[in-house]
Amino acid sequence: EVHYIIHLKQGIQPKTPHKFELLGRGNESLEFYLGSRDDESDESMKINEYRFEMLTKDNFETNGSEWKYQNIRDVHAEKNSTYLMEKLTPNTTYLIRVASLNAAGLSEWTEIKEFTTLAHAPKLISNNAALTHTSLLIVFLFYYLSKSL
């Protein structure tokens, strides 16, 4: 028979991130900076993760302005770091909120912010391919004509 002794300790809810800023955006990504307000007096209550919750604006409005079916992403907290949210849909508006996480649980959420990914970049491959075919045709014609003279 195995016995476990569990010692519980009073925890301190972490503080909400005080900065939540967009640094950059792509067609399938958003990059953020978060500032933390750790209570440095108790190392065991240090913020160790941030929880991002994101929902498309269309989904939010379809669900009666409720947070349902949101995408949750927990990321390791590092001081002076940026956080990249990838695999997003191009040209889509997202509602995003963030909370700090420590051994005691989640902080209050930041205010909800709205960010839009960029549209797909224009495809230049087809234009380059057409240019390449045209260039090859010109070279071929020049070579053929120079041989026949």
Side-chain angles (χ1 to χ4, degrees):
E1 186 174 313
V2 178
H3 294 278
Y4 294 97
I5 298 174
I6 299 172
H7 298 277
L8 298 178
K9 180 177 160 183
Q10 177 90 25
I12 302 168
Q13 181 181 25
K15 294 177 181 172
T16 305
H18 72 283
K19 285 190 178 182
F20 174 25
E21 300 172 355
L22 179 70
L23 294 179
R25 61 190 179 123
N27 61 347
E28 295 181 356
S29 63
L30 296 168
E31 184 178 19
F32 299 99
Y33 171 78
L34 295 173
S36 65
R37 295 183 284 200
D38 260 340
D39 182 4
E40 301 292 337
S41 63
D42 188 352
E43 186 66 27
S44 68
M45 291 295 116
K46 184 177 177 156
I47 294 169
N48 50 31
E49 289 186 338
Y50 291 112
R51 175 164 292 169
F52 285 81
E53 284 194 350
M54 58 185 93
L55 192 61
T56 66
K57 187 174 182 178
D58 290 343
N59 196 349
F60 185 72
E61 290 170 354
T62 301
N63 289 313
S65 299
E66 290 187 35
W67 281 84
K68 289 184 179 179
Y69 314 112
Q70 69 269 28
N71 185 326
I72 298 171
R73 299 186 188 188
D74 291 339
V75 296
H76 183 72
E78 293 285 337
K79 285 194 182 234
N80 301 317
S81 289
T82 61
Y83 302 93
L84 186 64
M85 299 294 116
E86 297 181 292
K87 298 182 182 176
L88 303 176
T89 305
N91 200 30
T92 302
T93 300
Y94 288 90
L95 302 177
I96 302 175
R97 62 185 183 178
V98 185
S100 303
L101 182 66
N102 70 6
L106 282 174
S107 70
E108 297 295 323
W109 293 102
T110 60
E111 66 181 85
I112 297 169
K113 294 192 177 186
E114 190 174 299
F115 303 103
T116 303
T117 53
L118 298 176
H120 276 295
K123 294 191 178 190
L124 299 177
I125 295 171
S126 60
N127 293 340
N128 288 340
L131 182 60
T132 302
H133 292 302
T134 304
S135 300
L136 287 174
L137 182 60
I138 290 170
V139 170
F140 175 75
L141 287 173
F142 180 75
Y143 176 77
Y144 179 76
L145 292 172
S146 67
K147 288 287 190 186
S148 63
L149 293 173

